[in-house]
Amino acid sequence: MSGERVLVIDDKPENIELLTEYMLRPKGYIPLVATNGEEGLHVALTHRPDLIILDLKMPKMSGLQVLQALKERKANIPSILMTGYGSEHIAVQAFRLGVRDYITRPFEVDEMLDAISRALDEEPLLKKQKAQRANLEQRETLKKQVDLLQRMLQVSHALNSSLGLESLLQTIIEIARELTETEASSLLLLDKETNQLHFAAATGVKSQKLKSISVPIDSIAGWIVRKGRPLLVPEVRRDPRFFRQVDAITGYATRSILGVPLKIKERIIGAIEVLNKAGEKIFTLDDARILTILAAQAAIAVENARLFTEVKNEKDKLQTLINSTADSIILTIGEDDRILLINEAARKALSIEATPVVDKPLAEVMSNEWLIDLFARSHADSKTERAEIPLADGRTLNANLTLIPTVGRVLVMQDITPLKKLDEMKSDFVTTFVHDLRSPLTSIRGFVDLLPMVGKLNDRQCDSIARIQRNVANITALIDDLLDIGLIEASIGLEMDICHLDLIVTEVVDHSRRRAEAKEQHLQLISPASLPPVLGNPLRLSQAVRNLLDNAIKYTPPGGRITVQIGEEGDQIIVQVKDTGIGIPVADKPYIFDKFYRVRSEETKDIEGTGLGLYIVKSIVDKHNGRVWVESKAGEGSTFTFILPKY
Ligand code: ADP
């Protein structure tokens, strides 16, 4: 065989010539040349020849130093060392450095050629064998790694699947047994109360029997749990910690055990063990690594199951709790309002079938349009929205929908049908009653007004008549208010038309100007040149503005300032009545729009009123699909605002 590249490193040109021209070239080898050790090393490293023939004694770097340097750089090139004088010591050193042959000068041509061909012949064979071995080992390791990865993937899939804890743990220990090439495996969990371990999963035919036994804490598994460290017991029979009862039950003969702890953060909850490495082999570090990874996965599975049970228990408790209340309750989550909890009362009220509805969007399982509207409305900024929900069976529910940030929305509904009935009866009664009262009152007022014309009256008589007139006016106002409420609520005479709210507001303000001036109040109207119209009833809208302005004048002391402003914002028209009056105490604020509610205080005790003005305002605004609210500070003034959608 020829064509191999042979590097000759020698400081003597005649030696080089002899080797290259008379031995190597004629035999078909390709010679490379270096004339000192350093150069030789460089050529060897850059060109990687098939063989190096080098002199022992050279300036700067000896042959041995070159070999040493090559070895350090892991350049495994066969080499032949030439030296002028033989020495055992040098030979040993040279062979330690991997030299193939050692030739003493002067040498015969054949002797050198023999050495060269031996070195080159031997090399490919050795290389091949080594490469084959390395290849095999690499393949084996790769296969093992791929296997391991695949199994780990399987465990991850299992963890994400809906498998129950028991089958999950079983899968994990089966894989542990396979990957560590052992005969059996098991997973034990610590019972904190009894301080004993029990088998949560085990391989083998009789493994089910293990579930009924408890393993003491001074066992091998117990040691792993107590110390939180892996443990290898090569011969269990000699270990006093070995818990023989397990073998007695399974009829199995445990020889060796490798175990690792199951950890959740720093908490040890149990251990995984593999038993008897197959083929009498011994456990390796890889086995411990594999087991540790699987233990981490198993710990996650156990923890997930524990958390799941905890959450489920809490949810069940909550469900029992809300089921026992008479109110209808629904808890929803997410943008699409998926049902998280719903109680029996709510199911009945909304005729929701008994099929599983949890996790379904609420709109999919019920069709009550008032409720759908309430949910749609509450997406806006306000935290709680209220609505009366008529049901198909004629009942009415009072619904409060509250936004719970980051959780969802909770709907609580009470049956107010009896109250509604009562209210209707009361309204009917009041309407009839006030109607009947109006006629005698009209005649009382007529006669009282006529009295001064009958004859001259003295001062006391005049005073009494004035009082009667005032009181009759109050009762008439009350009756008018009550009648108005009845009409507005029943939507009687509430025909809607296109109206210009700015004109209505201007008219009301102009009409009230004299009264404000009489109280030396400064009344100002701020209105843009033109505003889009609204759809409404002009008489009722005028009444709403009038009630607000009347109140502002009434509850603002002389010298105060009242500002009425109208404007637009987005697709809404805004009307605002602002005063610098007595304001409204915080405690009274939530109730002032209620029927008959009046603030009872030192400032209000001499101010007359029915407590119906704001209720009427709210009823009118509601009927116009608007919203009314107040901002106020006691002692500083109030701002009443209502908004209506533009036409
Ligand atoms: P009333 O006939 O008593 O004025 P309303 O329904 O109009 O009844 O008002 C309810 C209560 O709200 C009043 O009794 C008063 O205490 C308070 N209130 C209304 N408007 C104002 C205001 N502009 N400033 C201070 N308090 C007011």
Side-chain angles (χ1 to χ4, degrees):
M1 188 166 138
S2 56
E4 286 95 340
R5 293 173 313 146
V6 179
L7 170 63
V8 179
I9 312 173
D10 203 318
D11 57 331
K12 290 183 197 71
E14 64 275 16
N15 285 350
I16 293 180
E17 198 188 344
L18 174 74
L19 268 164
T20 56
E21 302 310 317
Y22 296 93
M23 297 184 196
L24 297 174
R25 274 198 216 283
K27 283 285 170 194
Y29 297 115
I30 301 163
L32 304 172
V33 170
T35 51
N36 62 52
E38 264 177 9
E39 191 193 340
L41 179 63
H42 178 71
V43 176
L45 289 173
T46 47
H47 293 278
R48 299 277 164 167
D50 299 298
L51 177 70
I52 302 173
I53 303 172
L54 75 172
D55 194 13
L56 173 70
K57 243 184 126 206
M58 285 183 288
K60 287 194 196 163
M61 207 174 183
S62 74
L64 283 181
Q65 281 172 320
V66 173
L67 290 172
Q68 175 74 38
L70 283 170
K71 190 175 179 192
E72 278 164 13
R73 287 167 177 76
K74 301 215 167 22
N76 217 355
I77 306 166
S79 44
I80 299 170
L81 190 68
M82 305 177 288
T83 175
Y85 43 86
S87 144
E88 278 286 286
H89 171 66
I90 290 172
V92 169
Q93 259 186 296
F95 281 112
R96 259 190 208 144
L97 291 170
V99 79
R100 283 283 151 78
D101 228 326
Y102 177 85
I103 286 200
T104 325
R105 277 195 233 275
F107 49 77
E108 300 284 324
V109 172
D110 285 347
E111 190 187 353
M112 179 52 111
L113 284 175
D114 269 359
I116 291 173
S117 73
R118 255 201 326 272
L120 282 171
D121 278 353
E122 179 186 17
E123 185 49 22
L125 198 76
L126 257 176
K127 257 191 194 162
K128 209 171 157 194
Q129 280 175 347
K130 261 195 198 163
Q132 272 176 344
R133 208 177 317 127
N135 207 346
L136 265 174
E137 275 169 12
Q138 217 174 5
R139 264 205 238 165
E140 196 67 15
T141 339
L142 260 176
K143 199 180 152 300
K144 268 195 184 159
Q145 280 174 346
V146 169
D147 223 30
L148 180 65
L149 273 176
Q150 264 175 352
R151 299 310 230 156
M152 289 303 166
L153 211 64
Q154 211 176 326
V155 176
S156 293
H157 280 318
L159 272 182
N160 290 324
S161 71
S162 53
L163 275 184
L165 180 65
E166 206 170 310
S167 24
L168 236 168
L169 296 182
Q170 194 64 34
T171 310
I172 291 176
I173 61 154
E174 296 279 4
I175 291 174
R177 194 191 57 75
E178 256 180 65
L179 290 181
T180 55
E181 293 167 335
T182 45
E183 289 174 7
S185 57
S186 55
L187 189 145
L188 298 102
L189 291 177
L190 176 70
D191 182 338
K192 269 212 221 124
E193 274 173 27
T194 59
N195 206 29
Q196 287 183 322
L197 296 138
H198 61 264
F199 285 91
T203 59
V205 257
K206 301 218 175 127
S207 59
Q208 277 307 320
K209 285 194 176 172
L210 291 176
K211 303 236 161 124
S212 57
I213 66 161
S214 298
V215 177
I217 199 73
D218 56 7
S219 59
I220 291 175
W223 187 94
I224 297 168
V225 169
R226 271 186 289 124
K227 302 281 175 185
R229 290 209 305 266
L231 179 66
L232 169 65
V233 184
E235 274 188 73
V236 291
R237 311 244 147 232
R238 291 204 191 156
D239 197 306
R241 292 169 292 190
F242 180 53
F243 183 55
R244 278 157 212 280
Q245 209 179 319
V246 176
D247 275 7
I249 288 176
T250 56
Y252 184 77
T254 308
R255 295 191 305 275
S256 54
I257 291 181
L258 171 67
V260 297
L262 289 185
K263 274 189 202 177
I264 294 166
K265 291 187 182 140
E266 282 317 302
R267 201 157 44 89
I268 316 288
I269 57 159
I272 284 196
E273 288 181 341
V274 282
L275 279 57
N276 299 0
K277 185 95 178 162
E280 306 275 323
K281 278 199 234 157
I282 53 167
F283 283 107
T284 64
L285 208 59
D286 269 349
D287 294 330
R289 276 196 203 115
I290 290 168
L291 218 52
T292 308
I293 298 172
L294 286 168
Q297 307 277 52
I300 293 173
V302 174
E303 181 66 353
N304 280 354
R306 191 186 63 79
L307 291 174
F308 181 78
T309 318
E310 212 170 82
V311 170
K312 196 175 167 302
N313 285 348
E314 286 304 310
K315 199 180 157 196
D316 288 351
K317 254 193 243 166
L318 198 63
Q319 183 74 54
T320 320
L321 198 80
I322 68 164
N323 269 351
S324 64
T325 63
D327 290 352
S328 303
I329 300 174
I330 302 177
L331 185 64
T332 66
I333 50 166
E335 281 288 298
D336 51 354
D337 283 306
R338 272 168 296 117
I339 299 176
L340 187 68
L341 281 173
I342 178 164
N343 70 350
E344 282 310 309
R347 274 176 182 276
K348 262 195 207 140
L350 301 172
S351 314
I352 294 175
E353 303 282 300
T355 52
V357 287
V358 169
D359 227 30
K360 284 195 183 153
L362 186 64
E364 237 175 57
V365 297
M366 59 106 201
S367 54
N368 188 302
E369 58 188 276
W370 283 273
L371 258 188
I372 293 172
D373 182 57
L374 175 66
F375 271 85
R377 252 192 300 149
S378 105
H379 273 295
D381 48 2
S382 77
K383 257 191 85 182
T384 303
E385 282 286 340
R386 192 195 149 264
E388 284 184 8
I389 311 290
L391 299 181
D393 60 7
R395 289 185 299 143
T396 307
L397 300 185
N398 177 43
N400 277 296
L401 182 61
T402 308
L403 188 77
I404 309 168
T406 73
V407 177
R409 298 196 282 178
V410 61
L411 176 75
V412 181
M413 300 187 288
Q414 298 95 14
D415 190 348
I416 52 164
T417 318
L419 293 176
K420 283 293 279 185
K421 286 243 162 70
L422 210 65
D423 201 45
E424 268 167 34
M425 280 162 63
K426 196 183 73 191
S427 293
D428 286 351
F429 167 75
V430 170
T431 312
T432 332
F433 175 74
V434 293
H435 202 264
D436 292 351
L437 213 69
R438 222 165 184 266
S439 333
L441 271 177
T442 316
S443 75
I444 292 174
R445 199 168 64 188
F447 282 116
V448 172
D449 288 349
L450 279 176
L451 273 178
M453 294 171 209
V454 177
K456 189 146 173 36
L457 303 172
N458 63 29
D459 286 353
R460 270 189 72 186
Q461 285 167 329
C462 281
D463 190 44
S464 301
I465 286 173
R467 271 190 198 200
I468 295 170
Q469 279 172 327
R470 231 181 16 250
N471 282 318
V472 169
N474 280 347
I475 298 173
T476 312
L478 177 67
I479 287 170
D480 286 348
D481 282 351
L482 285 171
L483 279 174
D484 277 347
I485 289 169
L487 294 175
I488 295 165
E489 283 181 349
S491 295
I492 296 170
L494 202 70
E495 288 73 28
M496 298 288 181
D497 214 340
I498 295 169
C499 30
H500 290 271
L501 208 49
D502 46 345
L503 299 183
I504 293 174
V505 171
T506 311
E507 206 178 285
V508 174
V509 171
D510 286 346
H511 195 258
S512 305
R513 209 170 280 286
R514 285 242 315 275
R515 254 180 322 125
E517 278 166 11
K519 263 186 100 175
E520 289 166 5
Q521 288 163 336
H522 181 269
L523 175 61
Q524 189 192 7
L525 170 69
I526 304 173
S527 169
S530 75
L531 269 181
V534 297
L535 191 65
N537 182 289
L539 285 179
R540 291 302 179 200
L541 288 177
S542 163
Q543 185 178 14
V545 180
R546 198 169 55 243
N547 282 6
L548 292 179
L549 187 52
D550 280 356
N551 278 352
I553 296 171
K554 213 159 63 160
Y555 297 105
T556 302
R561 171 180 278 277
I562 295 158
T563 314
V564 182
Q565 190 167 1
I566 177 159
E568 60 181 312
E569 207 174 282
D571 50 6
Q572 284 165 326
I573 301 287
I574 304 183
V575 179
Q576 220 166 44
V577 181
K578 190 174 182 168
D579 65 54
T580 56
I582 58 169
I584 299 156
V586 181
D588 294 289
K589 229 171 82 176
Y591 309 105
I592 57 160
F593 290 99
D594 287 357
K595 226 184 234 179
F596 296 114
Y597 193 85
R598 306 204 66 216
V599 176
R600 313 243 168 248
S601 68
E602 201 46 42
E603 286 108 323
T604 58
K605 77 175 194 310
D606 295 327
I607 303 174
E608 282 178 355
T610 58
L612 289 174
L614 289 180
Y615 181 80
I616 292 174
V617 173
K618 183 161 165 32
S619 305
I620 294 172
V621 173
D622 282 350
K623 286 282 175 189
H624 284 79
N625 300 321
R627 214 154 65 81
V628 58
W629 69 94
V630 64
E631 287 149 292
S632 178
K633 216 168 181 188
E636 289 184 17
S638 316
T639 303
F640 283 85
T641 309
F642 72 84
I643 50 174
L644 297 184
K646 282 177 189 170
Y647 176 60

